[in-house]
Amino acid sequence: MRGFKSSKFKKYEKMIKMKSTNLEEDNNKEFTLDIEQNERIIKETFQDCSDLEYRRIEVNHKIKWLIVYIDNLIDEKKLDEHVIKPMLTSLTRDAPKEVEDLKSDLISIGITNSSTKVSDTVRNVLEGYAAILMAGSSNVMTVSIPGLSKRSLDEPSSEPVIRGPRDGFIEHISTNISLIRARLKTSKLKIEYITLGELSQTRIAISYLKGIAEDTLVDEVRTRLKPIQLDGVLDSGYIEEFIEDQPYSPFPQAHSTERPDVVAAELLEGKVAILVDTTPFALVVPMTFWTGLQASEDFYIRWPVATFVRWIRFLFINFAIFAPPLYVAITTFHQEMIPTNLVLSIAASREAVPFPAMIEAFLIEIIFEALREAGIRLPKQIGQAISIVGGLVIGQAAVQAGLISAPVVIIVSITGISMFTIPRYSFANGIRLLRFPMLFLAGTMGLYGIVLGFLGIILHVTSLRSFGVLYLYPISPLKFSALKDVFIRIPIWVKFRHSIRPKSREGRN
């Protein structure tokens, strides 16, 4: 058996080496001095690509310049006005003889690059550049004239706020970086690009503040990102699973957000942001348990109100995990803990129910999750109506038919409301998953099962790490100096020691 595994690994390793060798040969391939030969190279590379456009500028029936670009990725009007027309005008006088002269004499728009390698030119063309080939030169210039439409900077639907900035990330990485730079106007903000995805060639940006983020954290982010090998990276969720410390944990170890103000605030705290092209969701690492319970609006409203709202979240996250299991455990095994009047009321409502409390709770929880999922997937105009009306109709009909009891509907409804108090969607999803094993433990072992489940959650969370940072930091390990923004949202002028709070009018007098 060991020999089989070894031979299989050697075969896989050989395939990887052959693939790497072929890629290295393709990357080292260069253009020639013959422009017609270079045209054939491009046509072979983009074979059967009907959206590739070729614009030839000829002199005496010979190609002087060849412009290659992908339709709809560039602005053709700007190409005609700022590239082709100046080239045609230059034919009546001394035309540039070198590719580098085009940049200084003719082309004054967009970002320009030049390279003799075929792979560099192909990559730039696929990113929306126009490639300019010149007769008698192996150097190819690429000009950025973006023409791909962008959506407006609307408020993110996944993270709405009452008070705060209304702009959100879009699917264009350059725009997203500009939104961060608009908030952090400092040269300490560093942006490093890498490319992931063999076929998608997706640009990934690593963003951090030099001198604030620890060098070891930045190096760790680079170390985890660069070895990733995928055919395509279409969203930040693709790489999130590769960089997690514990991929089997229900808790997210990278904070995903659509808000540039949240990313800027996290960078000021010494964290690292990972932005992925073609998606509005950025990743911020490391993430802690308390990050999942904090909303960006906490820092835009007065601190007593923000502290009160934060305590509400702490309270209801316990309801979200333990409310249904406690009901099942007490009504099944520990009826003596319930007051007499209440136990008689519950017994009367459950008299006609044919299922045990655990099965009853499981059914209503699954129905609630199905309604929630249906409300998300359906169009907004009817999704909310379906989820609300469906919940009311199904719940009322099930109670009247005697399939479920009214107390279970109340408990599950409170649990659902509790879930919506968690501001981070990915963190709330982990809490959703915990309810079902807790229900099973409560239905089989009662309060002992709940205690075992609670201890399991605590052991898991205390051992969980995000890029080397413990998930419960600064509670575990305990660090008093870092507790000022966990349970209480202290005033901003207290949080930053170097800040100066102006004196009140009475103080000045």
Side-chain angles (χ1 to χ4, degrees):
M1 192 67 179
R2 184 175 299 176
F4 171 75
K5 289 184 178 180
S6 177
S7 61
K8 186 177 181 180
F9 175 77
K10 289 180 180 179
K11 183 178 179 181
Y12 176 75
E13 189 179 27
K14 185 178 180 181
M15 292 173 61
I16 294 294
K17 288 182 178 179
M18 291 175 61
K19 189 175 182 180
S20 301
T21 303
N22 294 335
L23 289 174
E24 187 176 353
E25 291 176 356
D26 293 339
N27 291 334
N28 293 331
K29 190 175 182 180
E30 295 187 351
F31 286 107
T32 65
L33 298 176
D34 186 357
I35 191 170
E36 294 184 354
Q37 176 66 22
N38 294 338
E39 182 181 10
R40 286 193 292 270
I41 292 174
I42 293 179
K43 287 184 176 180
E44 290 176 0
T45 304
F46 290 96
Q47 188 177 4
D48 299 327
C49 295
S50 302
D51 56 346
L52 195 71
E53 300 287 343
Y54 298 88
R55 302 283 291 272
R56 297 177 178 84
I57 299 177
E58 300 181 351
V59 177
N60 297 327
H61 304 290
K62 291 184 179 180
I63 301 177
K64 176 66 175 177
W65 288 302
L66 175 65
I67 304 171
V68 181
Y69 61 91
I70 294 179
D71 190 21
N72 297 324
L73 285 186
I74 70 167
D75 191 332
E76 293 194 45
K77 291 184 179 180
K78 290 184 178 180
L79 178 68
D80 290 334
E81 182 178 354
H82 297 282
V83 177
I84 295 179
K85 284 184 179 180
M87 285 182 172
L88 293 174
T89 304
S90 69
L91 295 178
T92 60
R93 49 186 176 85
D94 292 335
K97 296 181 180 180
E98 296 293 337
V99 170
E100 294 295 336
D101 297 334
L102 290 173
K103 181 178 180 180
S104 57
D105 297 344
L106 299 181
I107 300 173
S108 59
I109 186 175
I111 302 172
T112 58
N113 300 313
S114 59
S115 176
T116 59
K117 291 186 177 181
V118 177
S119 59
D120 294 339
T121 301
V122 169
R123 186 183 302 110
N124 287 333
V125 170
L126 291 171
E127 289 181 357
Y129 285 69
I132 303 174
L133 290 79
M134 177 182 284
S137 175
S138 61
N139 202 9
V140 178
M141 174 173 286
T142 52
V143 184
S144 174
I145 312 176
L148 191 65
S149 59
K150 304 176 185 177
R151 66 181 178 93
S152 59
L153 303 177
D154 297 326
E155 179 182 357
S157 58
S158 62
E159 298 176 80
V161 294
I162 298 176
R163 179 177 178 179
R166 300 292 179 179
D167 56 346
F169 288 139
I170 62 173
E171 289 76 12
H172 198 269
I173 191 171
S174 299
T175 303
N176 297 342
I177 292 174
S178 66
L179 291 175
I180 299 175
R181 286 203 175 274
R183 290 166 168 81
L184 300 174
K185 300 180 180 67
T186 173
S187 59
K188 292 183 178 180
L189 178 60
K190 307 300 180 182
I191 306 293
E192 298 180 9
Y193 285 109
I194 62 173
T195 302
L196 295 180
E198 183 179 341
L199 301 180
S200 65
Q201 293 293 304
T202 306
R203 282 197 303 168
I204 312 294
I206 303 173
S207 176
Y208 61 95
L209 285 171
K210 187 70 173 179
I212 297 180
E214 294 184 2
D215 294 336
T216 54
L217 174 61
V218 178
D219 292 337
E220 183 66 21
V221 173
R222 295 194 196 102
T223 303
R224 297 192 187 191
L225 284 176
K226 289 182 179 179
I228 296 176
Q229 293 186 359
L230 287 173
D231 289 337
V233 177
L234 305 181
D235 186 80
S236 57
Y238 277 56
I239 64 175
E240 182 179 359
E241 296 186 20
F242 281 90
I243 63 176
E244 290 178 329
D245 290 67
Q246 297 187 22
Y248 298 105
S249 173
F251 295 98
Q253 291 132 65
H255 175 206
S256 61
T257 179
E258 290 185 84
R259 304 194 64 88
D261 57 318
V262 172
V263 173
E266 299 276 27
L267 293 179
L268 288 170
E269 293 181 2
K271 298 183 180 181
V272 178
I274 303 170
L275 290 85
V276 181
D277 201 8
T278 71
T279 178
F281 286 93
L283 300 177
V284 182
V285 294
M287 179 183 178
T288 64
F289 182 87
W290 317 110
T291 304
L293 295 175
Q294 295 177 358
S296 57
E297 192 177 3
D298 292 352
F299 301 93
Y300 303 143
I301 59 178
R302 299 189 69 250
W303 69 270
V305 179
T307 301
F308 172 74
V309 173
R310 191 169 290 183
W311 288 350
I312 291 292
R313 297 192 196 112
F314 291 146
L315 174 64
F316 277 89
I317 192 176
N318 289 291
F319 284 173
I321 300 175
F322 299 108
L326 280 173
Y327 171 81
V328 171
I330 292 175
T331 55
T332 305
F333 297 97
H334 312 282
Q335 296 90 347
E336 68 279 359
M337 297 178 62
I338 310 175
T340 305
N341 293 335
L342 181 57
V343 73
L344 291 176
S345 177
I346 294 175
S349 63
R350 285 188 44 80
E351 184 178 1
V353 177
F355 305 111
M358 183 180 71
I359 302 299
E360 184 184 8
F362 264 116
L363 287 175
I364 196 65
E365 284 280 6
I366 292 173
I367 292 173
F368 178 82
E369 293 294 337
L371 287 172
R372 178 178 177 177
E373 189 69 15
I376 294 174
R377 303 305 165 197
L378 288 172
K380 289 184 178 180
Q381 292 79 1
I382 62 175
Q384 295 180 354
I386 290 295
S387 58
I388 295 173
V389 174
L392 291 174
V393 171
I394 293 176
Q396 184 67 22
V399 171
Q400 291 181 351
L403 296 178
I404 59 175
S405 61
V408 172
V409 176
I410 296 173
I411 293 295
V412 173
S413 300
I414 293 175
T415 304
I417 294 172
S418 303
M419 293 298 304
F420 295 130
T421 63
I422 302 175
R424 308 301 181 191
Y425 179 75
S426 58
F427 187 78
N429 285 337
I431 302 299
R432 289 168 64 186
L433 292 178
L434 293 177
R435 294 207 308 269
F436 295 98
M438 290 296 294
L439 269 176
F440 177 77
L441 291 173
T444 53
M445 291 183 287
L447 290 178
Y448 301 104
I450 294 179
V451 172
L452 288 175
F454 176 73
L455 290 176
I457 293 173
I458 293 297
L459 290 174
H460 173 70
V461 174
T462 52
S463 64
L464 187 62
R465 293 176 181 268
S466 174
F467 282 78
V469 177
L470 287 170
Y471 210 61
L472 284 183
Y473 176 84
I475 300 299
S476 175
L478 183 62
K479 186 176 182 181
F480 288 102
S481 61
L483 288 175
K484 56 187 177 182
D485 195 29
V486 175
F487 300 107
I488 299 176
R489 207 285 274 169
I490 63 173
I492 296 178
W493 49 270
V494 175
K495 181 177 180 181
F496 299 101
R497 294 181 179 178
H498 60 273
S499 62
I500 300 176
R501 181 177 179 267
K503 294 182 179 180
S504 64
R505 182 177 297 275
E506 294 180 358
R508 290 198 298 268
N509 293 335

